[in-house]
């Protein structure tokens, strides 16, 4: 081998090692739930450290505290932590790891000793001014105290007695520590306050990252996108998903004299610096019930953009609406419909039930079911009359037919895309519906609220990350197994939700199933543990692996299918009391 080639090979190898390291750090840094929440039980020490570390990594202007990561990074003379996040070189990663380590050590010292010691540690190891770090630890002290005093059983008993239960906001602990203490009467947000100024601010960064990602992978930004909007996410984030839709369209919210968001105005193309993006929004039943005013706002935003006199290539909303009308198969009003949900009083897509019950033969059935459940239009017509969930199957199908990318905001630090079946029923469901009507599979993206740098991942990347951080991670599954019967059900549910991503979006690599089989079935000891604790869920897990193989989602190594069949039949015997 000649020298230059050798250099190239070793350079390549270094790059690959760095990439691997980056992935390992990514998995390591995720906030992994190590067990189920037990009602009335306060957080354990380890969980407390992880949560406090996550809280401390963000600026908290409401109490004058800055992010510990920023304080440490600046104290060490490394500049802003934000800049370190952008630096993808080996040096960047090493520097960042150094900062993270100091932060971790200080939070551990705070939990095990006290704030004074933690401040001292930061002062001596990273030159952080104690006055600055004390503000952070004062906030952490309040949170730590609240985490240790669960008011859940008390609040529940009071509610049963018909007594007053103090109200508290519904949000994610990391995004809004004011949700603590738990055990209060959770309230939502005023829909007219959505999106908040900070949600609109944050959405700007996420949307630009999202479009940049699509440009890098597909050569240009998408002309049309399908967005999933959920109620709880928009409560927790004060409308981050809503703000992302507005940003994609290129409009800004306008507040009235009472500070209510009631109007929108277009951002000029010059200020926007890119083409607008057409968006089809499929919103959950919960969103529809909680955010009536917001649905009207989103509908107004689409209409406002459709009416702008702008070139087709810079305004696909206008171009798509005009094309539909020119085709002669619908009115201008009909062609502008972009906000869809269930029929009034109905919830969910049922795609999850169809997948979990194995009730589908062709993949198209899943996309069709999504459209059947979600084809009810909301907004107003040009005479100002409310549509109130009028069935508009053709309008949804036409709107989906131009979609090139599907997207959902993942706002939570606690619930990921394989923890519940709802992510695949919505984002997977809409992606299948697009595939059906646009005759091409859309690119699918999720944003990650767990990252400070407005990270956007593709769906297959997110599935891999969730699989490594949870389903195949001994820390996660041992935590679950500690809960016995329910824990096994939780493991099975992760496998089924992962399977849901194969069914709806073909987003799961074969190795995922290979490793799930190896971890939970081929390992005799593990299979025995699962079977003893919960033979029903163990049987479902094995059955799901067999179904995945049968449907062609993975190719099992020689002998594996036979072993799975055997295990399935042994479990059936055990359940039936034969064995
Ligand atoms: C929602 O917040 O809108 C939602 C929550 C769970 C499942 C589906 C939607
Ligand atoms: Mg549910």
């Amino acid at each position: 081998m000649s020298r230059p080639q050798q250099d190239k090979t070793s350079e390549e190898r270094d790059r690959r090692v760095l990439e691997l390291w980056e992935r390992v750090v990514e998995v390591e840094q995720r906030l992994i739930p190590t067990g189920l929440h037990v009602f009335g039980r306060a957080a354990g020490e380890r969980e407390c450290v992880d949560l406090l570390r996550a809280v401390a990594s963000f600026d908290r202007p409401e109490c004058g505290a800055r992010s510990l990561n920023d304080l440490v990074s600046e104290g060490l003379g490394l500049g802003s932590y934000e800049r370190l996040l952008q630096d993808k070189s080996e040096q960047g990663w090493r520097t960042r790891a150094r900062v993270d380590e100091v932060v971790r050590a200080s939070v551990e010292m705070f939990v095990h000793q006290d704030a004074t010691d933690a401040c001292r540690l930061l002062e001596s190891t990273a030159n952080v001014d104690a006055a600055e770090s004390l503000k952070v630890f004062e906030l952490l002290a309040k949170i730590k105290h609240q985490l240790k005093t669960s008011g859940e059983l008390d609040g529940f008993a009071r509610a049963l007695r018909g007594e007053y239960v103090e109200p508290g906001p519904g949000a994610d602990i990391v995004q809004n520590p004011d949700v603590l203490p738990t055990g209060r009467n959770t309230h939502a947000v005023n829909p007219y306050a959505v999106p908040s100024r900070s949600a609109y601010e944050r959405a700007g960064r996420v949307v630009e990252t999202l479009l940049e990602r699509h440009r890098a992978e597909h050569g240009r930004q998408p002309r049309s996108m399908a967005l999933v909007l959920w109620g709880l996410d928009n409560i927790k984030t004060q409308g981050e998903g809503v703000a992302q839709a507005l940003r994609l369209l290129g409009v800004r919210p306008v507040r009235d004299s009472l500070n209510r968001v009631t109007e929108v105005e277009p951002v000029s193309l010059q200020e926007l610096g890119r083409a607008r993006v057409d968006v089809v929004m499929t919103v959950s039943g919960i969103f529809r019930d909680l955010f009536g005013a917001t649905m009207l706002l989103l509908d107004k935003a689409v209409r406002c953009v459709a009416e702008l006199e702008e070139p087709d290539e810079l305004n696909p909303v206008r171009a798509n609406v005009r094309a539909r009308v020119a085709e002669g198969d619908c009115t201008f009003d009909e062609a502008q419909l972009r906000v869809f949900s269930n029929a009034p009083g109905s919830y969910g897509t049922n795609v999850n039930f169809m997948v979990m019950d194995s009730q589908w033969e062709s993949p198209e059935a899943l996309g069709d079911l999504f459209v059947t459940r979600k084809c009810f239009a909301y907004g107003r017509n040009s005479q100002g009359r409310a549509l109130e969930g009028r069935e508009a199957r053709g309008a949804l199908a036409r709107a989906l037919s131009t979609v090139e990318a599907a997207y959902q905001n993942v706002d939570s630090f606690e619930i990921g895309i394989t923890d519940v079946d709802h992510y695949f029923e919505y984002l997977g469901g809409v992606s299948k519906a697009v595939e059906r009507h646009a005759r091409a599979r859309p690119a699918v993206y999720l944003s990650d609220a767990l990252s400070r740098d407005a990270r956007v991942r593709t769906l297959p990347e997110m599935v891999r990350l969730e699989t490594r951080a949870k389903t195949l991670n001994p820390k996660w599954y041992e935590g679950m197994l500690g809960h016995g019967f329910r824990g096994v059900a939780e493991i099975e549910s992760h496998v089924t939700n992962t399977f849901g991503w194969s069914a709806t979006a073909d987003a799961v690599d074969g190795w995922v199933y290979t490793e799930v089989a190896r971890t939970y079935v081929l390992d005799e000891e593990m299979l025995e543990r699962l079977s003893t604790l919960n033979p029903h869920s163990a049987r479902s897990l094995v059955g799901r692996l067999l179904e995945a193989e049968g449907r062609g989602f993975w190719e099992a190594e020689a002998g594996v299918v036979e072993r799975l069949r055997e295990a399935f039949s042994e479990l059936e015997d055990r359940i039936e009391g034969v064995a």
Side-chain angles (χ1 to χ4, degrees), residues 76-97:
L76 290 170
L78 303 166
S80 86
Y81 189 70
E82 211 68 48
R83 199 184 53 80
L84 291 185
L85 288 170
Q86 307 304 327
D87 185 349
K88 302 292 181 206
S89 69
E90 180 179 349
Q91 189 52 35
W93 274 95
R94 283 190 192 285
T95 315
R96 199 174 134 187

Side-chain angles (χ1 to χ4, degrees), residues 228-235 283-288 290 348 374 408 420-423 425-426:
V228 172
L229 294 176
W230 281 0
L232 300 182
D233 297 57
N234 281 284
I235 292 172
V283 318
S284 71
I286 298 181
F287 185 101
R288 174 205 56 207
L290 294 173
K374 285 286 168 191
Q408 182 166 4
V420 291
D421 49 344
H422 303 303
Y423 282 109
E425 67 153 322
Y426 272 86

Side-chain angles (χ1 to χ4, degrees), residues 174-185:
V174 179
Q175 292 192 10
N176 180 8
D178 284 344
V179 301
L180 295 170
T182 59
R184 291 187 293 170
N185 195 0

Side-chain angles (χ1 to χ4, degrees), residues 229-305:
L229 294 176
W230 281 0
L232 300 182
D233 297 57
N234 281 284
I235 292 172
K236 288 181 184 174
T237 62
Q238 307 221 312
E240 219 167 286
V242 171
Q244 289 162 357
L246 299 181
R247 289 274 189 182
L248 285 164
L249 287 164
V251 300
R252 64 167 66 90
V254 177
R255 281 157 221 277
D256 67 9
S257 56
L258 297 173
N259 206 26
R260 304 179 321 159
V261 181
T262 47
E263 288 296 331
V264 288
E265 68 180 20
V267 175
S268 72
L269 285 172
Q270 193 185 8
E271 190 185 333
L272 198 58
R274 59 163 169 84
R276 302 181 194 279
V277 180
D278 194 353
V279 290
V280 191
M281 293 157 271
T282 45
V283 318
S284 71
I286 298 181
F287 185 101
R288 174 205 56 207
D289 293 351
L290 294 173
F291 287 106
T294 314
M295 289 207 293
L296 294 181
L297 187 82
L298 291 166
D299 174 67
K300 212 181 253 183
V302 173
R303 286 168 189 272
C304 146
V305 171

Side-chain angles (χ1 to χ4, degrees), residues 514-531:
T514 304
E515 291 303 318
V516 168
R518 193 171 288 159
T519 306
Y520 295 111
V521 190
L522 305 183
D523 177 335
E524 296 285 332
E525 204 180 307
M526 176 59 90
L527 182 61
E528 187 48 37
R529 284 173 78 193
L530 299 182
S531 310

Side-chain angles (χ1 to χ4, degrees), residues 26-27 29-31 58 175 202 206 209-210 237 240 244 407-417 423 445-458 461-462 465-466:
E26 196 173 32
V27 174
Q29 286 184 340
R30 291 196 67 94
L31 205 54
F58 289 87
Q175 292 192 10
R202 286 196 304 273
V206 173
T209 310
L210 169 66
T237 62
E240 219 167 286
Q244 289 162 357
Y407 167 77
Q408 182 166 4
N409 190 45
V410 178
D411 73 292
S412 172
F413 281 80
E414 294 161 304
I415 314 276
I417 65 164
Y423 282 109
Y445 299 102
L446 297 122
S447 68
D448 189 355
L450 294 149
S451 63
R452 263 188 43 153
D453 50 347
R455 192 168 300 175
V456 170
R457 292 193 175 86
T458 65
E461 280 171 358
M462 199 69 154
L465 184 55
E466 283 270 303

Side-chain angles (χ1 to χ4, degrees), residues 333-386:
D333 261 350
E334 194 78 4
Q336 292 188 107
L337 297 177
R338 294 291 184 278
V339 183
F340 297 89
S341 187
N342 296 79
S346 144
Y347 300 83
T349 72
N350 290 359
V351 168
N352 46 341
F353 301 129
M354 195 181 247
V355 168
M356 291 187 295
D357 294 343
S358 309
Q359 292 294 320
W360 50 290
E361 277 170 21
S362 73
E364 290 80 38
L366 299 171
D368 288 346
L369 179 59
F370 183 89
V371 171
T372 302
R373 296 284 299 171
K374 285 286 168 191
C375 67
F376 299 84
Y378 290 81
R380 290 188 194 280
N381 66 14
S382 43
Q383 278 85 50
R385 204 166 302 130

Side-chain angles (χ1 to χ4, degrees), residues 527-539:
L527 182 61
E528 187 48 37
R529 284 173 78 193
L530 299 182
S531 310
T532 309
L533 291 170
N534 182 344
H536 302 275
S537 293
R539 179 184 56 174

